[in-house]
Short mmCIF file of all heavy atoms in Angstrom, two decimals:
data_model
loop_
_atom_site.label_atom_id
_atom_site.label_comp_id
_atom_site.label_asym_id
_atom_site.label_seq_id
_atom_site.Cartn_x
_atom_site.Cartn_y
_atom_site.Cartn_z
N MET A 1 0.79 -1.14 0.03
CA MET A 1 -0.03 0.01 -0.01
C MET A 1 0.91 1.20 0.04
O MET A 1 1.92 1.36 0.69
CB MET A 1 -0.90 -0.05 1.12
CG MET A 1 -1.95 1.12 1.26
SD MET A 1 -3.13 0.73 2.45
CE MET A 1 -3.82 2.34 2.66
N ALA A 2 0.36 2.26 -0.80
CA ALA A 2 1.28 3.45 -0.92
C ALA A 2 1.11 4.18 0.48
O ALA A 2 0.35 4.12 1.27
CB ALA A 2 0.62 4.29 -2.03
N GLU A 3 2.15 5.15 0.68
CA GLU A 3 2.23 5.92 1.79
C GLU A 3 1.00 6.95 1.75
O GLU A 3 0.60 7.40 0.65
CB GLU A 3 3.57 6.83 1.82
CG GLU A 3 4.77 6.10 2.00
CD GLU A 3 4.94 5.69 3.54
OE1 GLU A 3 4.77 6.61 4.28
OE2 GLU A 3 5.38 4.69 3.76
N PRO A 4 0.56 7.31 2.99
CA PRO A 4 -0.60 8.32 2.92
C PRO A 4 -0.11 9.58 2.45
O PRO A 4 1.09 9.97 2.74
CB PRO A 4 -1.12 8.28 4.25
CG PRO A 4 -0.01 7.72 5.16
CD PRO A 4 0.82 6.85 4.30
N LEU A 5 -0.92 10.45 1.80
CA LEU A 5 -0.59 11.74 1.32
C LEU A 5 -0.70 12.64 2.63
O LEU A 5 -1.62 12.46 3.38
CB LEU A 5 -1.64 12.33 0.33
CG LEU A 5 -1.55 11.48 -1.03
CD1 LEU A 5 -2.55 12.02 -1.91
CD2 LEU A 5 -0.08 11.82 -1.63
N ARG A 6 0.40 13.44 2.90
CA ARG A 6 0.24 14.42 3.95
C ARG A 6 -0.33 15.72 3.66
O ARG A 6 0.16 16.42 2.67
CB ARG A 6 1.79 14.47 4.42
CG ARG A 6 2.41 13.26 4.85
CD ARG A 6 3.94 13.30 5.11
NE ARG A 6 4.70 13.83 3.94
CZ ARG A 6 5.15 12.99 3.02
NH1 ARG A 6 4.93 11.75 3.02
NH2 ARG A 6 5.86 13.59 2.03
N VAL A 7 -1.27 16.10 4.44
CA VAL A 7 -2.04 17.29 4.20
C VAL A 7 -1.91 18.21 5.40
O VAL A 7 -2.28 17.81 6.65
CB VAL A 7 -3.47 16.99 3.96
CG1 VAL A 7 -4.27 18.39 3.74
CG2 VAL A 7 -3.80 16.05 2.75
N LEU A 8 -1.30 19.35 5.09
CA LEU A 8 -1.18 20.43 6.26
C LEU A 8 -2.36 21.32 6.36
O LEU A 8 -2.74 21.79 5.20
CB LEU A 8 0.13 21.23 5.98
CG LEU A 8 0.32 22.47 6.78
CD1 LEU A 8 0.57 22.08 8.33
CD2 LEU A 8 1.41 23.36 6.30
N THR A 9 -2.97 21.43 7.40
CA THR A 9 -4.21 22.49 7.51
C THR A 9 -3.64 23.54 8.27
O THR A 9 -2.97 23.65 9.19
CB THR A 9 -5.33 21.84 8.36
OG1 THR A 9 -4.90 21.40 9.65
CG2 THR A 9 -5.88 20.59 7.62
N LEU A 10 -4.01 24.86 7.60
CA LEU A 10 -3.60 26.02 8.24
C LEU A 10 -4.59 26.74 9.00
O LEU A 10 -4.23 27.65 9.82
CB LEU A 10 -3.06 27.01 7.04
CG LEU A 10 -1.95 26.62 6.17
CD1 LEU A 10 -1.63 27.74 5.21
CD2 LEU A 10 -0.82 26.34 6.97
N ASN A 11 -5.81 26.29 9.04
CA ASN A 11 -6.79 26.77 9.92
C ASN A 11 -7.68 25.67 10.47
O ASN A 11 -7.47 24.49 10.12
CB ASN A 11 -7.78 27.68 9.09
CG ASN A 11 -7.06 28.70 8.28
OD1 ASN A 11 -7.05 28.54 6.96
ND2 ASN A 11 -6.49 29.68 8.85
N SER A 12 -8.56 26.00 11.20
CA SER A 12 -9.52 25.06 11.76
C SER A 12 -10.49 24.62 10.66
O SER A 12 -11.28 25.41 10.19
CB SER A 12 -10.30 25.59 13.05
OG SER A 12 -11.25 24.69 13.50
N ILE A 13 -10.32 23.47 10.23
CA ILE A 13 -11.27 22.91 9.14
C ILE A 13 -12.34 22.11 9.77
O ILE A 13 -11.92 21.14 10.62
CB ILE A 13 -10.44 22.06 8.18
CG1 ILE A 13 -9.26 22.89 7.56
CG2 ILE A 13 -11.33 21.61 6.94
CD1 ILE A 13 -9.54 24.10 6.86
N SER A 14 -13.50 22.14 9.25
CA SER A 14 -14.61 21.37 9.84
C SER A 14 -14.40 19.86 9.76
O SER A 14 -13.77 19.39 8.73
CB SER A 14 -15.91 21.73 9.01
OG SER A 14 -17.01 20.75 9.34
N SER A 15 -14.65 19.16 10.90
CA SER A 15 -14.39 17.75 10.87
C SER A 15 -15.32 17.01 9.76
O SER A 15 -14.96 16.18 9.32
CB SER A 15 -14.77 17.19 12.24
OG SER A 15 -16.19 17.54 12.61
N LEU A 16 -16.56 17.74 9.40
CA LEU A 16 -17.33 17.15 8.40
C LEU A 16 -16.65 17.16 7.10
O LEU A 16 -16.74 16.11 6.30
CB LEU A 16 -18.73 17.93 8.34
CG LEU A 16 -19.61 17.87 9.44
CD1 LEU A 16 -20.86 18.74 9.23
CD2 LEU A 16 -20.20 16.34 9.59
N GLY A 17 -15.85 18.28 6.85
CA GLY A 17 -15.11 18.31 5.63
C GLY A 17 -13.89 17.25 5.61
O GLY A 17 -13.72 16.75 4.61
N LEU A 18 -13.24 17.27 6.82
CA LEU A 18 -12.06 16.34 6.82
C LEU A 18 -12.52 14.93 6.69
O LEU A 18 -11.68 14.00 6.29
CB LEU A 18 -11.29 16.62 8.07
CG LEU A 18 -10.62 17.96 8.38
CD1 LEU A 18 -10.03 18.13 9.55
CD2 LEU A 18 -9.73 18.07 7.01
N GLU A 19 -13.72 14.54 7.09
CA GLU A 19 -14.15 13.14 7.00
C GLU A 19 -14.16 12.61 5.50
O GLU A 19 -14.33 11.34 5.24
CB GLU A 19 -15.46 12.93 7.72
CG GLU A 19 -15.52 13.06 9.09
CD GLU A 19 -16.89 13.05 9.67
OE1 GLU A 19 -17.90 12.91 8.95
OE2 GLU A 19 -17.00 13.17 10.89
N ARG A 20 -14.27 13.64 4.57
CA ARG A 20 -14.16 13.25 3.24
C ARG A 20 -12.93 12.61 2.67
O ARG A 20 -12.85 12.09 1.58
CB ARG A 20 -14.67 14.39 2.29
CG ARG A 20 -16.02 14.87 2.73
CD ARG A 20 -16.47 16.11 1.89
NE ARG A 20 -16.77 15.76 0.63
CZ ARG A 20 -17.95 15.19 -0.06
NH1 ARG A 20 -18.79 14.76 0.87
NH2 ARG A 20 -17.98 14.90 -1.25
N PHE A 21 -11.85 12.83 3.60
CA PHE A 21 -10.63 12.19 3.21
C PHE A 21 -10.55 10.79 3.73
O PHE A 21 -10.38 10.80 5.05
CB PHE A 21 -9.46 13.12 3.70
CG PHE A 21 -9.31 14.51 3.01
CD1 PHE A 21 -10.11 15.55 3.54
CD2 PHE A 21 -8.57 14.69 1.89
CE1 PHE A 21 -9.95 16.75 2.91
CE2 PHE A 21 -8.52 15.84 1.34
CZ PHE A 21 -9.12 16.93 1.76
N PRO A 22 -10.43 9.77 3.01
CA PRO A 22 -10.35 8.40 3.68
C PRO A 22 -9.20 8.30 4.58
O PRO A 22 -8.03 8.50 4.18
CB PRO A 22 -10.34 7.56 2.40
CG PRO A 22 -10.89 8.24 1.21
CD PRO A 22 -10.49 9.74 1.54
N LYS A 23 -9.40 7.77 5.75
CA LYS A 23 -8.23 7.43 6.70
C LYS A 23 -7.42 6.29 6.00
O LYS A 23 -7.87 5.40 5.24
CB LYS A 23 -8.94 6.85 7.94
CG LYS A 23 -9.56 8.00 8.80
CD LYS A 23 -10.01 7.43 10.07
CE LYS A 23 -10.71 8.37 11.04
NZ LYS A 23 -10.88 9.66 10.66
N GLY A 24 -6.22 6.35 6.21
CA GLY A 24 -5.26 5.46 5.56
C GLY A 24 -4.69 6.02 4.31
O GLY A 24 -3.56 5.63 3.86
N ARG A 25 -5.40 6.81 3.54
CA ARG A 25 -4.96 7.40 2.27
C ARG A 25 -4.32 8.82 2.60
O ARG A 25 -3.58 9.28 1.79
CB ARG A 25 -6.07 7.45 1.34
CG ARG A 25 -6.33 6.08 0.73
CD ARG A 25 -7.47 6.18 -0.37
NE ARG A 25 -6.90 6.99 -1.43
CZ ARG A 25 -7.71 7.51 -2.35
NH1 ARG A 25 -8.97 7.26 -2.47
NH2 ARG A 25 -7.09 8.16 -3.36
N TYR A 26 -4.77 9.39 3.72
CA TYR A 26 -4.39 10.82 3.92
C TYR A 26 -3.97 10.90 5.46
O TYR A 26 -4.62 10.27 6.35
CB TYR A 26 -5.55 11.79 3.78
CG TYR A 26 -6.03 11.78 2.36
CD1 TYR A 26 -6.93 11.05 1.90
CD2 TYR A 26 -5.38 12.72 1.50
CE1 TYR A 26 -7.41 11.02 0.62
CE2 TYR A 26 -5.78 12.67 0.16
CZ TYR A 26 -6.72 11.89 -0.33
OH TYR A 26 -7.16 11.95 -1.64
N GLN A 27 -3.02 11.73 5.65
CA GLN A 27 -2.48 12.00 6.99
C GLN A 27 -2.72 13.45 7.08
O GLN A 27 -2.10 14.28 6.31
CB GLN A 27 -1.05 11.65 7.32
CG GLN A 27 -0.53 12.16 8.60
CD GLN A 27 1.02 11.82 8.62
OE1 GLN A 27 1.63 11.43 7.76
NE2 GLN A 27 1.57 12.18 9.84
N ILE A 28 -3.58 14.00 8.03
CA ILE A 28 -3.93 15.44 8.17
C ILE A 28 -3.64 15.92 9.44
O ILE A 28 -4.20 15.39 10.45
CB ILE A 28 -5.44 15.59 7.70
CG1 ILE A 28 -5.75 14.94 6.32
CG2 ILE A 28 -5.86 17.00 7.77
CD1 ILE A 28 -7.26 15.00 6.04
N ALA A 29 -2.92 17.00 9.40
CA ALA A 29 -2.72 17.71 10.75
C ALA A 29 -2.23 19.17 10.56
O ALA A 29 -1.92 19.61 9.47
CB ALA A 29 -1.42 17.01 11.27
N GLY A 30 -2.35 19.82 11.70
CA GLY A 30 -1.97 21.39 11.73
C GLY A 30 -0.35 21.50 11.70
O GLY A 30 0.02 22.60 11.29
N GLU A 31 0.34 20.55 12.11
CA GLU A 31 1.79 20.49 11.88
C GLU A 31 2.13 19.18 11.32
O GLU A 31 1.87 18.14 11.74
CB GLU A 31 2.41 20.58 13.36
CG GLU A 31 2.16 22.03 13.94
CD GLU A 31 2.95 22.15 15.23
OE1 GLU A 31 4.06 21.49 15.46
OE2 GLU A 31 2.46 22.98 16.14
N ILE A 32 2.77 19.16 10.24
CA ILE A 32 3.17 18.06 9.48
C ILE A 32 4.40 18.44 8.70
O ILE A 32 4.63 19.39 8.16
CB ILE A 32 1.97 17.59 8.62
CG1 ILE A 32 2.22 16.10 8.23
CG2 ILE A 32 1.92 18.43 7.33
CD1 ILE A 32 0.88 15.48 7.70
N GLU A 33 5.38 17.37 8.71
CA GLU A 33 6.65 17.62 7.86
C GLU A 33 6.39 17.18 6.55
O GLU A 33 5.75 16.17 6.23
CB GLU A 33 7.75 16.74 8.54
CG GLU A 33 8.24 17.27 9.94
CD GLU A 33 9.54 16.52 10.50
OE1 GLU A 33 10.27 16.06 9.57
OE2 GLU A 33 9.59 16.47 11.64
N ARG A 34 6.96 17.91 5.57
CA ARG A 34 7.09 17.64 4.15
C ARG A 34 5.59 17.32 3.64
O ARG A 34 5.31 16.23 3.12
CB ARG A 34 8.04 16.48 3.87
CG ARG A 34 9.43 16.70 4.17
CD ARG A 34 10.51 15.76 3.73
NE ARG A 34 10.27 15.32 2.42
CZ ARG A 34 10.60 16.15 1.22
NH1 ARG A 34 11.10 17.29 1.31
NH2 ARG A 34 10.41 15.62 0.06
N PRO A 35 4.72 18.25 3.71
CA PRO A 35 3.28 18.14 3.14
C PRO A 35 3.29 17.93 1.60
O PRO A 35 4.10 18.57 1.01
CB PRO A 35 2.62 19.44 3.65
CG PRO A 35 3.61 20.36 3.69
CD PRO A 35 4.90 19.72 4.24
N ASP A 36 2.40 17.06 1.30
CA ASP A 36 2.05 16.95 -0.16
C ASP A 36 1.09 18.02 -0.59
O ASP A 36 1.07 18.46 -1.73
CB ASP A 36 1.47 15.54 -0.49
CG ASP A 36 2.45 14.43 -0.13
OD1 ASP A 36 3.61 14.47 -0.66
OD2 ASP A 36 2.20 13.56 0.73
N ALA A 37 0.31 18.45 0.35
CA ALA A 37 -0.80 19.39 0.10
C ALA A 37 -1.05 20.33 1.24
O ALA A 37 -0.72 19.96 2.44
CB ALA A 37 -2.04 18.70 -0.25
N ILE A 38 -1.61 21.52 1.02
CA ILE A 38 -2.01 22.48 2.01
C ILE A 38 -3.50 22.67 1.82
O ILE A 38 -3.94 22.92 0.82
CB ILE A 38 -1.18 23.79 1.97
CG1 ILE A 38 0.34 23.49 2.33
CG2 ILE A 38 -1.83 24.70 3.10
CD1 ILE A 38 1.11 24.69 2.01
N LEU A 39 -4.16 22.60 3.07
CA LEU A 39 -5.69 22.82 3.01
C LEU A 39 -5.83 24.08 3.88
O LEU A 39 -5.43 24.17 5.16
CB LEU A 39 -6.38 21.65 3.48
CG LEU A 39 -7.90 21.75 3.48
CD1 LEU A 39 -8.52 21.91 2.09
CD2 LEU A 39 -8.58 20.45 4.06
N VAL A 40 -6.43 25.10 3.30
CA VAL A 40 -6.56 26.34 4.00
C VAL A 40 -8.03 26.91 3.99
O VAL A 40 -8.75 26.63 2.90
CB VAL A 40 -5.61 27.48 3.32
CG1 VAL A 40 -6.00 27.58 1.89
CG2 VAL A 40 -5.51 28.76 4.02
N ARG A 41 -8.47 27.55 5.03
CA ARG A 41 -9.72 28.15 5.00
C ARG A 41 -9.71 29.70 4.78
O ARG A 41 -10.24 30.20 3.82
CB ARG A 41 -10.56 27.89 6.40
CG ARG A 41 -12.03 28.06 6.06
CD ARG A 41 -12.62 27.70 7.41
NE ARG A 41 -13.03 28.89 8.19
CZ ARG A 41 -13.07 28.97 9.46
NH1 ARG A 41 -12.54 28.13 10.23
NH2 ARG A 41 -13.41 30.17 10.03
N SER A 42 -8.80 30.29 5.52
CA SER A 42 -8.68 31.75 5.35
C SER A 42 -7.23 32.03 5.87
O SER A 42 -7.08 32.02 7.14
CB SER A 42 -9.72 32.54 6.04
OG SER A 42 -9.51 33.84 6.00
N GLN A 43 -6.31 32.37 5.17
CA GLN A 43 -4.91 32.62 5.63
C GLN A 43 -4.22 33.52 4.59
O GLN A 43 -4.26 33.28 3.37
CB GLN A 43 -4.36 31.27 5.77
CG GLN A 43 -2.80 31.27 6.27
CD GLN A 43 -2.78 31.31 7.70
OE1 GLN A 43 -3.66 30.98 8.37
NE2 GLN A 43 -1.66 31.75 8.18
N ASP A 44 -3.51 34.43 5.16
CA ASP A 44 -2.54 35.24 4.21
C ASP A 44 -1.34 34.46 4.11
O ASP A 44 -0.42 34.27 4.98
CB ASP A 44 -2.32 36.63 4.83
CG ASP A 44 -1.46 37.48 4.01
OD1 ASP A 44 -0.93 37.04 2.89
OD2 ASP A 44 -1.21 38.58 4.38
N MET A 45 -1.16 33.91 2.89
CA MET A 45 0.05 33.04 2.58
C MET A 45 1.09 33.81 1.69
O MET A 45 2.08 33.11 1.36
CB MET A 45 -0.55 31.90 1.90
CG MET A 45 -1.42 30.96 2.53
SD MET A 45 -2.05 29.55 1.72
CE MET A 45 -0.56 28.72 1.32
N HIS A 46 0.91 35.06 1.52
CA HIS A 46 1.91 35.76 0.67
C HIS A 46 3.38 35.65 1.08
O HIS A 46 4.20 35.54 0.39
CB HIS A 46 1.54 37.18 0.56
CG HIS A 46 0.32 37.44 -0.29
ND1 HIS A 46 -0.96 37.60 0.06
CD2 HIS A 46 0.19 37.45 -1.75
CE1 HIS A 46 -1.89 37.65 -0.86
NE2 HIS A 46 -1.16 37.59 -2.00
N ALA A 47 3.67 35.75 2.49
CA ALA A 47 4.90 35.69 3.02
C ALA A 47 5.30 34.28 3.57
O ALA A 47 6.47 34.13 3.92
CB ALA A 47 4.96 36.63 4.18
N MET A 48 4.39 33.31 3.13
CA MET A 48 4.79 31.98 3.67
C MET A 48 5.70 31.25 2.73
O MET A 48 5.56 31.37 1.48
CB MET A 48 3.38 31.20 3.77
CG MET A 48 3.57 29.90 4.22
SD MET A 48 1.82 29.02 4.34
CE MET A 48 2.41 27.32 4.70
N ASP A 49 6.69 30.67 3.28
CA ASP A 49 7.61 29.76 2.56
C ASP A 49 6.92 28.34 2.26
O ASP A 49 6.52 27.73 3.12
CB ASP A 49 8.93 29.55 3.19
CG ASP A 49 9.85 30.74 3.25
OD1 ASP A 49 9.70 31.61 2.26
OD2 ASP A 49 10.51 30.92 4.24
N ILE A 50 6.74 28.12 0.99
CA ILE A 50 5.95 26.75 0.75
C ILE A 50 7.06 25.93 0.24
O ILE A 50 7.79 26.14 -0.74
CB ILE A 50 4.87 27.18 -0.31
CG1 ILE A 50 3.82 28.11 0.30
CG2 ILE A 50 4.28 25.87 -0.85
CD1 ILE A 50 2.70 28.61 -0.75
N ALA A 51 7.02 24.82 0.82
CA ALA A 51 8.12 23.75 0.54
C ALA A 51 7.86 23.26 -0.82
O ALA A 51 6.74 23.29 -1.48
CB ALA A 51 7.98 22.69 1.49
N ALA A 52 9.04 22.88 -1.52
CA ALA A 52 8.88 22.24 -2.87
C ALA A 52 8.13 20.98 -2.96
O ALA A 52 7.52 20.59 -4.11
CB ALA A 52 10.33 22.06 -3.41
N CYS A 53 8.02 20.26 -1.77
CA CYS A 53 7.28 19.04 -1.82
C CYS A 53 5.71 19.16 -1.85
O CYS A 53 4.98 18.27 -2.16
CB CYS A 53 7.55 18.24 -0.53
SG CYS A 53 7.16 19.02 0.90
N VAL A 54 5.15 20.44 -1.81
CA VAL A 54 3.84 20.66 -1.89
C VAL A 54 3.38 20.64 -3.30
O VAL A 54 3.87 21.39 -4.16
CB VAL A 54 3.55 22.08 -1.23
CG1 VAL A 54 2.04 22.44 -1.41
CG2 VAL A 54 3.79 22.06 0.31
N LYS A 55 2.47 19.79 -3.54
CA LYS A 55 1.91 19.56 -4.97
C LYS A 55 0.65 20.47 -5.24
O LYS A 55 0.40 20.73 -6.36
CB LYS A 55 1.66 18.09 -5.22
CG LYS A 55 2.83 17.30 -5.10
CD LYS A 55 2.57 15.78 -5.04
CE LYS A 55 3.73 14.85 -4.84
NZ LYS A 55 4.21 14.93 -3.47
N THR A 56 -0.11 20.79 -4.17
CA THR A 56 -1.38 21.59 -4.41
C THR A 56 -1.81 22.18 -3.11
O THR A 56 -1.37 21.82 -2.02
CB THR A 56 -2.44 20.54 -4.78
OG1 THR A 56 -3.62 21.32 -5.25
CG2 THR A 56 -2.84 19.48 -3.64
N ILE A 57 -2.63 23.24 -3.34
CA ILE A 57 -3.11 24.01 -2.28
C ILE A 57 -4.54 24.16 -2.55
O ILE A 57 -4.95 24.49 -3.66
CB ILE A 57 -2.43 25.42 -2.10
CG1 ILE A 57 -1.01 25.36 -1.80
CG2 ILE A 57 -3.24 26.22 -1.07
CD1 ILE A 57 -0.29 26.67 -1.92
N GLY A 58 -5.39 23.68 -1.55
CA GLY A 58 -6.76 23.76 -1.64
C GLY A 58 -7.50 24.60 -0.71
O GLY A 58 -6.95 24.78 0.36
N ARG A 59 -8.65 25.25 -1.00
CA ARG A 59 -9.35 26.13 -0.18
C ARG A 59 -10.50 25.43 0.20
O ARG A 59 -11.33 24.91 -0.47
CB ARG A 59 -9.64 27.37 -0.89
CG ARG A 59 -10.42 28.36 0.09
CD ARG A 59 -10.50 29.76 -0.50
NE ARG A 59 -11.19 30.68 0.53
CZ ARG A 59 -12.41 30.64 0.89
NH1 ARG A 59 -13.12 29.99 0.27
NH2 ARG A 59 -12.84 31.61 1.74
N ALA A 60 -10.71 25.38 1.60
CA ALA A 60 -12.06 24.74 2.29
C ALA A 60 -12.90 25.91 2.43
O ALA A 60 -12.87 26.53 3.49
CB ALA A 60 -11.70 24.11 3.40
N GLY A 61 -13.79 26.19 1.58
CA GLY A 61 -14.85 27.24 1.71
C GLY A 61 -15.41 27.50 0.43
O GLY A 61 -15.35 26.85 -0.59
N ALA A 62 -16.33 28.61 0.46
CA ALA A 62 -17.05 28.92 -0.73
C ALA A 62 -16.48 30.08 -1.55
O ALA A 62 -15.84 30.95 -0.93
CB ALA A 62 -18.46 29.44 -0.33
N GLY A 63 -16.62 30.07 -2.84
CA GLY A 63 -15.94 31.12 -3.58
C GLY A 63 -14.56 30.88 -4.03
O GLY A 63 -13.96 30.09 -3.44
N VAL A 64 -14.04 31.56 -5.04
CA VAL A 64 -12.78 31.36 -5.51
C VAL A 64 -12.09 32.82 -5.69
O VAL A 64 -10.93 32.82 -6.14
CB VAL A 64 -12.65 30.58 -6.86
CG1 VAL A 64 -13.05 29.11 -6.67
CG2 VAL A 64 -13.42 31.27 -7.91
N ASN A 65 -12.72 33.77 -5.44
CA ASN A 65 -12.11 35.13 -5.80
C ASN A 65 -11.01 35.51 -4.77
O ASN A 65 -10.45 36.54 -4.86
CB ASN A 65 -13.31 36.18 -5.69
CG ASN A 65 -14.02 36.36 -4.33
OD1 ASN A 65 -13.93 35.46 -3.56
ND2 ASN A 65 -14.55 37.51 -4.04
N ASN A 66 -10.67 34.76 -3.81
CA ASN A 66 -9.65 35.15 -2.87
C ASN A 66 -8.49 34.07 -2.86
O ASN A 66 -7.70 33.96 -1.92
CB ASN A 66 -10.21 35.32 -1.44
CG ASN A 66 -10.89 34.03 -0.90
OD1 ASN A 66 -10.99 33.06 -1.60
ND2 ASN A 66 -11.35 34.18 0.30
N ILE A 67 -8.40 33.24 -3.90
CA ILE A 67 -7.45 32.29 -3.98
C ILE A 67 -6.16 32.93 -4.45
O ILE A 67 -6.20 33.58 -5.45
CB ILE A 67 -7.67 30.98 -4.74
CG1 ILE A 67 -8.92 30.23 -3.93
CG2 ILE A 67 -6.65 30.09 -4.95
CD1 ILE A 67 -9.41 29.15 -4.83
#
């Protein structure tokens, strides 16, 4: 079985939303080394250093005008 994808959450994400990520396939935490993805609700990321290992950044919320 493949290693679980590591997802860094930058904000408090609803547990209802996080339940959509199957356990065993994803490791989700507010502090995680070498994340594959970042899940954000509302965060100023302009000054944030984003590691080269991050493949995607997803927004947990409505709308796309602030990505």
